[in-house]
Amino acid sequence: MYAQMVKSTGEGVKSRDEMSPEEAAFQDRIDQDIKIEPKDWMPEGYRKTLIRQIGQHAHSEIVGQLPEGNWITRAPTLERKAILLAKVQDEAGHGLYLYCAAETLGVSRDELTEDLLSGRMKYSSIFNYPTLNWADMGAVGWLVDGAAIMNQVPLQRTSFGPYSRAMIRICKEESFHQRQGYDIMMKMAQGTEAQKKMAQDALNRTWYPALMMFGPSDKDSVHSAQSLAWKIKIDTNDELRQRFVDQTVPQAEYLGLTIPDENLKWNDEKGGYDFSQPDWEEFFDVVRGNGPCNVDRLAARNKAWDDGAWVRDGLLAHAEKRAARKTAAE
Amino acid sequence: MSKEWPLWEIFIRGQHGLSHRHVGSLHAPDAEMAIKNARDVYTRRNEGQSIWVVEAKHISASNPSDKGPMYEPSESKVYRHPTFFDIPEDVGAM
């Protein structure tokens, strides 16, 4: 999931008796699947939780450009380069759709950006892992975008109108991302022994961080319970992770690659695979800022923001000057 | 701290002769840059034939809490729909 462990009110879901008339009417609309729009009345907790979730999601799209941007200049062919460039450009676009959805809730773009740059707001833990070679571009597209799609498809039905519309647009575009990744994996897996080894190595390194994207089990989390009641979240983390594993295992088999999990086994009873959990200690450590690339990622975003300041100021000054000249001429 | 670029609402007319439709918003220093940015953000897959940009502060909107009284007048006028009238089949296409 691109938004992990988003805190809600922390107070648990209110019963009908505890709700004010406004809150009850609001919950009725959600239960009837009527979309909430920016100017509608909404509980403060709903607004804040959404800003956190959409903001974290947007930041993930933006920071997510870095591990792949790293390989644009080193793509093996001109066609692969053009495709990767288009994919990374899409990620920028997805970040922008999401920022614009968050802004309808009364937070400004610059506030969100500053919260990312200062580390107050998080982005998905997955982007704190390095991309070491070209096979990683395959594994990232296949598994990371695959996990993102698994999370984003149900979010198209989320209760907040602008978020839902952004998700619909993103899902339409995201499928290209996963397919281009799988296409790279197919090429490598059917290539020389060395290429096949690289593909397997990329899968080995990406598998558990991809499983972490859904976040730790949240079946007992008060935050998640509230988000589910508000339909900001549609499925639990475990449900999404299970769906991802079930879908991905046959895809790995087709490639002739092995999922790095000795406990992976089909379970007839539940109609899904049993699998090992990722190392959650590692996950929390990465979230705390100690992953292999946390420092680099934030430094890159800060540098881009600082280096771009004169462009933002210059263009605005130019626009103001032109507007003033036009007013004077009238 | 620098000032934030203003927010623009973006409207795109698609391929099939439909009206411009709201697709989202973006920040840009002026209208010209808003159109250029809108091309990159909202028409990467050939979605548009024409782009309109309007600075968000110039848009006035109805109040959602007035929805009831605002649209009530049209609810009670079913005769505005052609199916309200029974026309005998013998009359032919109408």
Side-chain angles (χ1 to χ4, degrees):
Chain A
M1 181 169 180
Y2 273 13
Q4 294 156 324
M5 301 201 306
V6 174
K7 289 204 167 105
S8 182
T9 57
E11 286 163 7
V13 183
K14 280 187 183 174
S15 72
R16 285 274 159 181
D17 297 340
E18 293 165 325
M19 285 182 191
S20 69
E22 278 162 322
E23 286 170 333
F26 177 81
Q27 191 62 50
D28 283 342
R29 290 188 60 187
I30 297 215
D31 294 344
Q32 292 162 34
D33 284 327
I34 299 172
K35 293 270 181 269
I36 307 299
E37 295 297 337
K39 286 188 143 195
D40 292 338
W41 184 89
M42 60 184 82
E44 195 49 23
Y46 177 84
R47 198 181 71 83
K48 283 194 175 146
T49 309
L50 265 177
I51 291 175
R52 273 186 215 122
Q53 179 169 327
I54 302 174
Q56 205 186 100
H57 197 156
H59 296 329
S60 300
E61 300 282 357
I62 297 300
V63 177
Q65 294 178 96
L66 297 171
E68 292 181 297
N70 183 34
W71 280 93
I72 291 173
T73 54
R74 288 175 283 170
T77 66
L78 187 58
E79 188 187 52
R80 293 280 182 201
K81 191 197 293 271
I83 291 171
L84 187 60
L85 191 60
K87 181 194 187 264
V88 173
Q89 194 191 12
D90 269 356
E91 308 296 359
H94 295 178
L96 294 178
Y97 306 157
L98 287 160
Y99 281 131
C100 105
E103 283 181 278
T104 65
L105 291 158
V107 64
S108 81
R109 175 75 56 91
D110 282 2
E111 282 173 70
L112 289 168
T113 305
E114 276 152 24
D115 281 351
L116 167 69
L117 297 180
S118 69
R120 264 194 304 274
M121 280 181 92
K122 302 289 180 204
Y123 53 87
S124 177
S125 59
I126 189 75
F127 301 119
N128 290 315
Y129 289 86
T131 45
L132 303 178
N133 60 50
W134 179 252
D136 286 17
M137 293 302 97
V140 165
W142 172 35
L143 299 171
V144 175
D145 288 274
I149 291 171
M150 204 48 86
N151 165 246
Q152 291 173 159
V153 165
L155 278 178
Q156 294 178 96
R157 291 179 285 122
T158 193
S159 61
F160 186 56
Y163 191 25
S164 154
R165 292 190 282 273
M167 283 328 323
I168 290 170
R169 222 189 146 86
I170 288 174
C171 284
K172 258 194 216 161
E173 300 181 351
E174 196 89 63
S175 173
F176 142 56
H177 298 179
Q178 191 186 17
R179 282 166 172 240
Q180 68 86 33
Y182 196 73
D183 188 58
I184 293 173
M185 289 307 267
M186 283 199 295
K187 202 82 184 172
M188 307 267 317
Q190 291 158 6
T192 63
E193 229 7 77
Q195 284 174 317
K196 194 170 172 187
K197 238 171 146 173
M198 278 173 75
Q200 180 63 52
D201 165 66
L203 168 59
N204 292 350
R205 282 181 290 106
T206 314
W207 177 252
Y208 288 104
L211 292 188
M212 290 178 197
M213 288 175 68
F214 300 97
S217 178
D218 60 350
K219 61 183 195 302
D220 304 317
S221 156
V222 284
H223 297 294
S224 287
Q226 179 61 77
S227 290
L228 286 165
W230 278 336
K231 295 190 187 165
I232 291 174
K233 210 177 151 79
I234 308 292
D235 305 279
T236 67
N237 296 349
D238 290 323
E239 285 166 345
L240 292 169
R241 188 167 17 248
Q242 181 70 53
R243 229 177 274 165
F244 173 72
V245 172
D246 293 345
Q247 190 180 83
T248 307
V249 171
Q251 296 168 354
E253 280 168 3
Y254 180 85
L255 293 172
L257 300 178
T258 312
I259 304 258
D261 180 359
E262 287 174 1
N263 301 316
L264 187 80
K265 208 176 134 223
W266 178 258
N267 180 333
D268 234 354
E269 208 171 306
K270 75 172 178 187
Y273 285 92
D274 290 332
F275 57 94
S276 303
Q277 289 290 312
D279 177 354
W280 290 114
E281 278 312 306
E282 177 185 318
F283 169 78
F284 287 114
D285 208 37
V286 172
V287 170
R288 274 194 297 269
N290 303 322
C293 297
N294 295 58
V295 175
D296 285 355
R297 300 296 187 232
L298 271 190
R301 288 314 309 154
N302 271 288
K303 184 177 183 319
W305 181 248
D306 294 342
D307 289 355
W310 70 272
V311 179
R312 296 192 300 276
D313 290 347
L315 284 174
L316 194 61
H318 176 69
E320 280 168 353
K321 206 159 97 186
R322 278 221 311 198
R325 216 178 277 155
K326 204 176 152 206
T327 319
E330 274 164 7
Chain B
M1 202 197 82
S2 307
K3 239 170 69 187
E4 193 171 278
W5 285 350
L7 185 69
W8 300 77
E9 298 297 335
I10 312 300
F11 301 82
I12 308 258
R13 186 173 62 218
Q15 311 278 358
H16 307 293
L18 297 173
S19 311
H20 284 76
R21 208 177 124 225
H22 182 244
V23 291
S25 62
L26 52 77
H27 288 271
D30 56 27
E32 197 187 326
M33 282 298 294
I35 290 174
K36 286 191 172 134
N37 291 350
R39 188 213 41 193
D40 292 342
V41 179
Y42 292 108
T43 67
R44 285 194 307 281
R45 284 171 179 74
N46 222 4
E47 291 95 333
Q49 300 275 356
S50 161
I51 300 175
W52 285 353
V53 300
V54 183
E55 215 181 319
K57 68 175 182 198
H58 295 309
I59 291 184
S60 310
S62 61
N63 189 342
S65 60
D66 295 341
K67 221 168 3 195
M70 183 98 160
Y71 303 109
E72 189 283 327
S74 71
E75 267 174 33
S76 54
K77 294 174 183 61
V78 280
Y79 42 80
R80 281 192 166 136
H81 298 278
T83 46
F84 176 78
F85 304 95
D86 285 327
I87 305 289
E89 262 178 42
D90 297 346
V91 179
M94 182 182 282

